Amino acid sequence: MTTATSIASSLGLTADDAIVLHNSNKLTLRLLPCDVLARVAPVADQVAQFEVELAQRLAESGCPVAALEPRVEPRVHERDGFAVTLWTYYEPVTAREVPPADYANALERLHAGMRKLDLPTPHFTDRVEQAQQLVANRDRTPALADADRELLGDTLRRLRRGIGERGGAEQLLHGEPHPGNVLTTKNGLLFIDLETCCRGPVEFDLAHAPDEVGEHYPGVDQGLLRECRILVLTMITTWRWDRGDQLPNGRQLGTEWLSQIRAALDREGLETPG
């Protein structure tokens, strides 16, 4: 917080106070009275430069993404071992559930803009592999029971292979366009947190959104979407068993999601281990 306010002040922004909006792998702050959003992460653990460049290019294409702070140069500021980026703060519109059709339309517009970009990004299977490595590492997931470890590892392996063998169209994706990464603003829906971008089928992105959104997105392969939903659920369940996971109630969610994975595999007629 001290680093973020110091950087903002050095750039001519009045930052006498900072309000924590979110604290996970990054610290998200609202700086006042300049009303700027600051994202802070350890230098070693961030891909901030990629996110800044991508946000600029998508905004220039008219994509529904949050904008960088226009009063300062759009770049990553490094100080005291932290990387800080400064963004426009959007006053949230009165909380209400986002209509699935609006969500689907915004995501379709984002994907259309992303198809025009040629950037070196990971493949979605690279992120699946990271989850597989976590499952296989008992030191990092010591509380995971053997049967649950087998379930996660087997599901990740089979779905990663099965989705890849479909050979469908792939493109640049947001990577995690779940409701927590969608802002409801007076400018409409805006996507944030572009650090998770990867390449893959659009169904992988849709798997992060509420189920009804996929019913309004044109040209969706519903069978592939169902497989991607199970894959994404398995991945986020795996993260919850990482001994370093900091999500509140993470272990409770991890336990609940294991049951959901088994139920989903059963619905799809996919055999579970054991």
Side-chain angles (χ1 to χ4, degrees):
M1 292 174 68
T2 301
T3 300
T5 54
S6 174
I7 288 173
S9 297
S10 71
L11 296 170
L13 300 170
T14 306
D16 300 326
D17 192 17
I19 300 172
V20 177
L21 300 180
H22 189 67
N23 184 11
S24 58
N25 62 318
K26 275 187 172 64
L27 181 65
T28 304
L29 305 168
R30 182 184 182 184
L31 305 182
L32 295 170
C34 61
D35 220 11
V36 170
L37 188 86
R39 302 186 73 204
V40 187
V43 169
D45 300 333
Q46 54 81 36
V47 289
Q49 187 58 46
F50 168 80
E51 186 175 23
V52 165
E53 292 175 2
L54 180 58
Q56 284 183 278
R57 294 179 65 174
L58 289 174
E60 290 169 358
S61 300
C63 289
V65 295
L68 291 149
E69 169 53 48
R71 288 172 286 180
V72 298
E73 181 185 354
R75 68 180 183 86
V76 180
H77 306 271
E78 294 188 8
R79 186 179 298 178
D80 304 325
F82 294 104
V84 179
T85 50
L86 301 176
W87 302 77
T88 297
Y89 175 77
Y90 296 91
E91 192 69 42
V93 173
T94 303
R96 65 181 180 88
E97 186 175 343
V98 176
D102 293 352
Y103 202 132
N105 177 262
L107 189 56
E108 185 184 7
R109 288 169 52 213
L110 179 65
H111 286 158
M114 285 182 153
R115 279 195 293 273
K116 301 174 184 177
L117 301 183
D118 183 18
L119 294 171
T121 54
H123 195 260
F124 83 97
T125 53
D126 295 332
R127 296 179 56 197
V128 180
E129 183 178 358
Q130 291 174 357
Q132 289 178 285
Q133 292 174 352
L134 185 58
V135 169
N137 190 330
R138 292 179 180 272
D139 289 337
R140 290 186 61 190
T141 53
L144 193 57
D146 287 346
D148 297 332
R149 189 182 304 278
E150 183 181 2
L151 170 71
L152 294 175
D154 183 72
T155 304
L156 290 167
R157 181 173 58 255
R158 286 194 294 167
L159 288 177
R160 174 186 175 183
R161 181 178 63 247
I163 292 170
E165 289 175 350
R166 283 177 173 266
E170 296 186 348
Q171 67 157 82
L172 186 65
L173 303 173
H174 179 286
E176 290 186 359
H178 54 69
N181 282 334
V182 182
L183 300 180
T184 303
T185 77
K186 64 181 181 180
N187 299 320
L189 299 182
L190 299 176
F191 290 92
I192 61 173
D193 202 355
L194 300 170
E195 66 178 2
T196 54
C197 279
C198 58
R199 296 195 67 81
V202 295
E203 286 82 0
F204 182 78
D205 258 4
L206 283 164
H208 291 80
D211 290 353
E212 298 81 1
V213 175
E215 299 170 7
H216 294 272
Y217 193 105
V220 173
D221 182 331
Q222 293 296 336
L224 175 56
L225 178 54
R226 288 194 297 272
E227 290 187 359
C228 285
R229 282 184 179 137
I230 300 174
L231 176 63
V232 167
L233 178 60
T234 306
M235 292 170 64
I236 64 175
T237 301
T238 299
W239 309 139
R240 303 291 73 83
W241 291 94
D242 186 341
R243 67 180 183 185
D245 183 51
Q246 297 180 8
L247 186 71
N249 302 320
R251 190 56 50 82
Q252 178 184 340
L253 289 171
T255 300
E256 294 174 1
W257 291 345
L258 284 167
S259 297
Q260 292 181 24
I261 293 170
R262 289 187 166 90
L265 291 172
D266 186 60
R267 284 196 304 271
E268 293 298 313
L270 300 172
E271 184 180 351
T272 59

